[in-house]
Amino acid sequence: MNKEINTSKLGDIGKVLMCKRVLKHQTSEQSDIPFYKISTFGNKPKNFITRELYDNFRKKYNHPKKGDILISAAGTIGKTVIYDGEPAYFQDSNIVWINNDETKVTNDYLYYFYQTEPWLTTRGSTIKRIYNDNLRNIIINFPNLKFQKKIAKVLSDLDAKIELNNKINHELEAMAKTLYDYWFVQFDFPDANEKPYKSSGGKMVFNKDLKRDVPKGWKSSTISDWIVNNKNGDWGKEELQGNFTKKVSCIRGADINGLNGKGKVQSPTRFILEKNSHKILEVGDLIIEISGGSPTQSTGRMAFITQETLERFENPLICSNFCKAVTLTDEIYLYNFVYNWNRLYSAGVLFGWEGKTSGIKNLLFENFITNFNVVKPSKEIVKEFHTKIKTIYKKKQKNLLENQKLSELRDWLLPMLMNGQVTVGEVESELGMVAEEGEKYRS
């Protein structure tokens, strides 16, 4: 047990303040001051204010300082960040901050305290939110500053390793996308002499279906020509009952980003009929969201299954009824298909292939895949691309699996360290490698 555990109300440690809601003038000029609302809190902002407005605001009102803890009081309640001190404007009264002088509790320790859920209390019958008096009356247990720093370091080393893996994955994904664009959009794949095809004078031929020039020998096809099988989703039952005995993890549209390494996967455990086992996802299957989206986001988000993906889950995988799984005619075309689909999605093409049912947007999947023409490259080039990208994705999935294990370890250690059930010394030896990697990342 950690010694010298102290107890105090949060209001006796630091000041709980609320961001002012006074400015309405926004701009999209990214050279100006970032403008954070509750909807963008903790993420990259899309709106900005001018330096003049920002300076005037700072003269009139209090503002978070570097190191202060910022907390979302509504929406995604309890989301917490440490303010890095960079010029920014927080416009929402739904964002509060803790102005702490760190004489009793360090900001890093306080940040991790807020990652433990028991502190969270809300009020409101319709719209839930945290009020300032809720925060001021929260009871926090804390050791002396020396132990606080040790606890925060153990946890931050884990977070640093996770962030390092995310950074590596981002760079790997950028490499893969650049290679796809270079080979299959600009048509500068390596020719017989290992020179860029189009730039080196490779013959281009006009394709009437695509209404553009493509490399000689390449053809056009509908997307359906690439697909051999569809697997509909299944929601099953929440608990084991009757003939619903097959235990699975269900991938929803909300889990697609997590599968792709952009956030957590929180796929629920379900039970399906044994006779529906043919819906279970296999290596090479692609999951496509066919219902959902928003006014600014079309349906059609995609993830795909690799062996490393399956290793991230204890149960077999299926997709929900709001998704569809497809299998390609030839697995060699997997990565080419994925990057072509994502390119169309990013360009907003799928907005034009949506219908509405009871206010929910649905992707007109069959219409789209049977009527939309895409370029179909030569198989030799596709094979070479597949080999290169498969290596990249294996590295990505390995990092995602490691991050999942690190997150589980951190989430297990967090309350144990905070309430003194385990000491730093009991975990330091096991986390030596993680600490070393964390130091490398921070340096």
Side-chain angles (χ1 to χ4, degrees), residues 27-33 48-49:
T27 174
S28 59
E29 293 296 328
Q30 296 192 19
S31 59
D32 289 327
I33 305 301
F48 303 81
I49 64 170

Side-chain angles (χ1 to χ4, degrees), residues 140-250:
I140 177 172
N141 299 321
F142 54 94
N144 61 41
L145 292 173
K146 178 182 176 181
F147 276 109
Q148 288 179 41
K149 291 175 182 178
K150 285 187 174 183
I151 289 171
K153 185 178 185 304
V154 168
L155 297 170
S156 64
D157 283 337
L158 290 167
D159 281 336
K161 177 56 178 169
I162 292 171
E163 183 59 30
L164 176 61
N165 284 342
N166 287 336
K167 182 179 179 181
I168 292 171
N169 278 0
H170 179 76
E171 292 172 352
L172 289 171
E173 179 60 26
M175 287 169 52
K177 184 178 182 301
T178 298
L179 187 64
Y180 174 82
D181 290 343
Y182 194 57
W183 283 19
F184 300 104
V185 179
Q186 301 176 42
F187 303 129
D188 269 334
F189 53 88
D191 64 13
N193 299 313
E194 294 298 315
K195 294 183 178 181
Y197 181 85
K198 185 177 179 181
S199 299
S200 301
K203 187 171 178 58
M204 304 291 289
V205 178
F206 183 77
N207 184 288
K208 63 179 182 179
D209 293 329
L210 299 170
K211 298 180 176 58
R212 62 179 299 193
D213 289 338
V214 299
K216 183 180 179 180
W218 290 25
K219 300 177 181 180
S220 64
S221 70
T222 61
I223 295 176
S224 60
D225 291 337
W226 301 55
I227 298 172
V228 69
N229 184 35
N230 290 341
K231 296 178 181 178
N232 290 324
D234 195 335
W235 190 233
K237 301 292 184 181
E238 185 176 355
E239 298 178 350
L240 181 69
Q241 58 179 275
N243 293 326
F244 291 84
T245 58
K246 186 70 176 178
K247 187 178 182 181
V248 296
S249 293
C250 188

Side-chain angles (χ1 to χ4, degrees), residues 274-287:
E274 190 70 38
K275 69 177 184 179
N276 286 341
S277 293
H278 64 279
K279 296 181 178 181
I280 289 176
L281 302 177
E282 301 173 306
V283 172
D285 284 346
L286 301 108
I287 307 168

